[in-house]
Amino acid sequence: MHRVYLDNAATTQLDPAVLDAMLPYLREHFGNPSSIHAYGRETRAAIEKARKKIATILSVSPGEIFFTSGGTEANNTALYCSVRDMGVKRIISSPIEHHAVTHTVESLEKDHGVRADWVQLHADGSVNYEHLETLLADKSAGKTLVSLMHANNEIGILLDIERVGELCRQYDALFHCDTVQTIAHYPINLSKINVHFITAAAHKFHGPKGVGMLYISGDVSIKPLIHGGAQERNMRAGTENLYGIIGLAKAMEMAYDELDTTATYIKGLRKMMADTLLENFPGVRFNNPEDGLYTVLNVRFPAHPKNDLLLINLDIQGVCCSGGSACSSGSDTGSHVINALRPETGSASVRFSFSKFNTEADVHFTIEQLKSILQPETAASNA
């Protein structure tokens, strides 16, 4: 059966070149990086080479890069350790953050007495920077951490990361930015941004699953979240995911080498799909801004009897997409992002997200399947 994969915001296909870079560390170079013998030394050297490569791309020191199991662990580490080790008493975040952040903030509020303030959003989901500054100006809660994502994973709204960083500098607040959707998709020069923590996951840019990274600015100091060993310079216990780290660095290097070409190509596919949807489906609207995260097209279809089963029917007919974050699949509450901004009343929102491996043929196939589900009489007459 022919299948089209348009759920790249959830995860991406492993690039064959990344797999090729990983394979020697699955076969020949298998030593434990903490071992002092030759096998351990060669894998330790490979990890440090990967760390240096990532640090160079992001314009930071290798000592500020720490490898994790993914974005969720990295986000949890930044938030929990800021409270435990840096005296944070208040966290400012938004209601449309990834659950790796919102659920962690709620846990810290409930179990550790942290005050949670939720910044106001504009109708399109963008942060109300004036309200953010008002919150920061209130010093009554004590030390503050701002946690806002660079690009929303469902609607693609982008944060002005430089502006937020400067506000945090002005009001002496810490800044954590979830960059899981933007690392390797946008140039990010951390030497020019006032940010204390950023997070990334390799599988969002054609790397392997189960590995990510946390940038911790040299201006701050936290203790480990996971104990039990001296790995990651005593910051993250546990034997390193050797081949995952190699894959992360290779995928990031390739992504930045191809950045402009890939972005232009994906933007073309997204525009083609948006234009074709508008031509074929009256009443269609888009939940994402045109100048937002270029990999995401979040489509709001008007009320239709088949909306409730739209995602299932698309899957049956060979189109893989989603209604929101993959981490919330199985939940019957719908997308917390869409519900926070514009609750659905009969309409259905579908997130199509693209990668360099998608084609124009994928777009044409998807449109035809949508026609067959939502416009059966039109599809029949055109047969």
Side-chain angles (χ1 to χ4, degrees):
M1 177 183 179
H2 182 67
R3 285 200 173 275
V4 166
Y5 184 77
L6 290 175
D7 199 17
N8 290 280
T11 196
T12 56
Q13 174 185 341
L14 185 67
D15 193 298
V18 174
L19 178 59
D20 288 343
M22 294 168 62
L23 282 175
Y25 297 90
L26 284 157
R27 292 172 174 158
E28 305 94 52
H29 310 306
F30 55 83
N32 188 318
S34 295
S35 298
I36 61 172
H37 51 60
Y39 280 86
R41 293 197 304 272
E42 70 177 358
T43 54
R44 167 57 55 198
I47 286 176
E48 295 313 315
K49 182 179 179 182
R51 194 189 314 275
K52 184 176 180 180
K53 185 181 296 182
I54 292 168
T56 300
I57 290 170
L58 299 176
S59 300
V60 297
S61 164
E64 296 173 306
I65 301 296
F66 299 87
F67 296 116
T68 68
S69 64
T72 296
E73 182 195 328
N75 285 333
N76 272 256
T77 300
L79 294 167
Y80 270 107
C81 294
S82 293
V83 171
R84 186 191 63 191
D85 304 326
M86 300 189 67
V88 166
K89 302 296 183 184
R90 174 179 64 159
I91 298 176
I92 300 173
S93 192
S94 92
I96 64 170
E97 299 299 300
H98 191 281
H99 281 154
V101 168
T102 57
H103 288 177
T104 305
V105 172
E106 289 163 359
S107 173
L108 287 166
E109 182 180 35
K110 178 183 177 182
D111 299 331
H112 298 273
V114 172
R115 176 171 140 190
D117 284 341
W118 305 97
V119 68
Q120 294 172 2
L121 303 173
H122 296 296
D124 63 355
S126 60
V127 167
N128 183 327
Y129 297 106
E130 288 73 22
H131 184 240
L132 175 60
E133 184 168 7
T134 298
L135 290 174
L136 284 167
D138 176 9
K139 298 289 188 177
S140 63
K143 188 68 175 178
T144 294
L145 170 74
V146 173
S147 180
L148 295 170
M149 66 200 318
H150 192 192
N152 185 271
N153 55 306
E154 295 190 31
I155 59 171
I157 198 77
L158 286 167
L159 181 77
D160 187 338
I161 188 172
E162 291 86 0
R163 182 174 181 180
V164 174
E166 284 308 305
L167 284 172
C168 289
R169 189 197 306 276
Q170 181 181 345
Y171 291 97
D172 193 28
L174 297 173
F175 181 24
H176 161 248
C177 190
D178 177 343
T179 55
V180 165
Q181 292 291 339
T182 52
I183 284 282
H185 295 289
Y186 290 88
I188 297 177
N189 185 337
L190 293 178
S191 70
K192 296 183 178 180
I193 303 171
N194 179 52
V195 62
H196 301 91
F197 307 96
I198 69 157
T199 53
H203 72 107
K204 302 295 186 179
F205 46 90
H206 305 292
K209 295 174 181 61
V211 64
M213 53 144 283
L214 171 65
Y215 159 78
I216 304 176
S217 167
D219 294 334
V220 299
S221 178
I222 60 173
K223 297 174 183 177
L225 180 69
I226 297 174
H227 297 272
Q231 292 88 354
E232 291 301 290
R233 302 182 309 288
N234 292 302
M235 271 301 299
R236 201 269 186 182
T239 302
E240 295 92 339
N241 180 355
L242 170 63
Y243 36 84
I245 291 168
I246 300 301
L248 165 61
K250 179 64 175 178
M252 188 179 292
E253 178 183 45
M254 290 178 61
Y256 279 104
D257 284 345
E258 305 164 355
L259 192 67
D260 292 340
T261 301
T262 300
T264 299
Y265 177 70
I266 294 175
K267 287 175 183 177
L269 288 181
R270 188 182 75 160
K271 184 178 188 306
M272 176 185 175
M273 184 152 187
D275 291 346
T276 311
L277 284 167
L278 290 172
E279 292 170 6
N280 288 276
F281 298 92
V284 154
R285 297 291 182 269
F286 301 113
N287 293 315
N288 58 286
E290 190 173 346
D291 60 352
L293 179 63
Y294 62 83
T295 56
V296 168
L297 183 67
N298 196 303
V299 185
R300 192 181 186 100
F301 292 94
H304 191 282
K306 294 188 178 180
N307 275 352
D308 287 346
L309 298 175
L310 182 55
L311 289 173
I312 293 174
N313 283 327
L314 281 168
D315 185 38
I316 290 170
Q317 296 189 201
V319 178
C320 302
C321 53
S322 70
S325 172
C327 301
S328 299
S329 63
S331 169
D332 61 2
T333 59
S335 162
H336 74 287
V337 174
I338 300 299
N339 288 336
L341 298 175
R342 46 189 84 90
E344 316 236 276
T345 53
S347 60
S349 289
V350 179
R351 182 186 68 180
F352 300 100
S353 47
F354 304 85
S355 84
K356 64 181 181 180
F357 291 119
N358 288 120
T359 65
E360 291 186 359
D362 292 343
V363 174
H364 291 307
F365 180 82
T366 301
I367 295 296
E368 289 308 308
Q369 304 321 304
L370 284 165
K371 285 181 180 179
S372 70
I373 297 167
L374 299 177
Q375 299 177 344
E377 67 287 347
T378 303
S381 64
N382 290 338

